[in-house]
Amino acid sequence: MSWRNPSYKKDVKTYAADATNEDVAQQSICLEPIGVVDSPYQERFATPRQPAYAVEDKSGKIVLHAGHNYEQALQDLQTFSHIWVIYWMHLNQGWNPLVKPPRDKQHKHGVFSTRAPHRPNSIGLSLVSLTSIQGRTLFIGNHDMLNGTPVLDIKPYIKEADMQENANNGWIDLLKA
């Protein structure tokens, strides 16, 4: 039995069918940070555009807030080499529907087809190496987060689920042609 295809049957629940598009459009979402990044990066323009593009390895820390049992939530995370960090880009102001990414200085692209930080919601996502964990502190390798960045969530990187061998790079592949 695979976790993707369980052999047992459960009754189908229709939670999504009960919500209307109008209800969803009127929703407000409130997120509370679980911790904060302690980073050597103090300036947005001196921060690597992606963790993999860092010129030198500058490590950092994620310090989770006390009083929430996050020590228990971290159980077994140290067995993973990499983690996804979901965070709030707290210094962003406004957004742009079209941006000129560094890979293509001649054309503008829709922000949703780029990794530009100027997004409708300032949510960031970074894949970073996990060096160690001590208490509520996660020590991370190369990253692209500013000092003081609020962390919203942490998830393990799982090669089987996260790496797609048949994926393409969209308009970036066209630049190389």
Side-chain angles (χ1 to χ4, degrees):
M1 176 172 75
S2 166
W3 64 272
R4 291 179 188 238
N5 299 310
S7 60
Y8 59 90
K9 299 283 185 196
K10 287 187 173 182
D11 291 337
V12 176
K13 296 180 180 172
T14 59
Y15 301 118
D18 296 338
T20 66
N21 288 342
E22 294 81 26
D23 291 339
V24 173
Q26 299 301 317
Q27 272 186 343
S28 165
I29 300 170
C30 178
L31 301 172
E32 290 188 27
I34 62 170
V36 66
V37 175
D38 182 357
S39 167
Y41 301 120
Q42 303 292 321
E43 167 65 42
R44 288 189 295 177
F45 301 104
T47 304
R49 293 188 185 276
Q50 298 291 316
Y53 301 147
V55 176
E56 56 184 287
D57 186 4
K58 289 196 177 179
S59 58
K61 296 187 276 187
I62 297 172
V63 181
L64 300 182
H65 298 317
H68 299 279
N69 291 327
Y70 291 145
E71 297 87 348
Q72 289 179 333
L74 291 171
Q75 183 176 320
D76 300 321
L77 188 62
Q78 79 283 357
T79 65
F80 291 89
S81 64
H82 290 76
I83 56 173
W84 290 108
V85 180
I86 303 163
Y87 56 94
W88 189 258
M89 293 181 279
H90 63 296
L91 298 180
N92 279 6
Q93 298 173 347
W95 73 285
N96 297 313
L98 294 173
V99 296
K100 268 192 189 174
R103 291 179 189 249
D104 187 0
K105 297 187 187 304
Q106 296 181 6
H107 302 97
K108 287 188 175 188
H109 297 272
V111 72
F112 295 143
S113 72
T114 73
R115 293 190 171 190
H118 309 290
R119 314 190 75 75
N121 290 301
S122 293
I123 297 172
L125 173 69
S126 291
L127 178 63
V128 300
S129 62
L130 178 61
T131 308
S132 66
I133 300 174
Q134 294 176 8
R136 291 179 286 103
T137 302
L138 293 83
F139 294 86
I140 58 175
N142 277 355
H143 65 90
D144 58 351
M145 296 171 282
L146 287 169
N147 191 53
T149 296
V151 175
L152 302 174
D153 205 351
I154 297 165
K155 296 185 179 202
Y157 173 83
I158 301 172
K159 287 194 315 186
E160 177 184 308
D162 294 331
M163 187 177 76
Q164 300 296 315
E165 290 188 25
N166 60 345
N168 69 43
N169 293 312
W171 60 264
I172 297 169
D173 284 343
L174 301 175
L175 293 175
K176 298 174 185 174

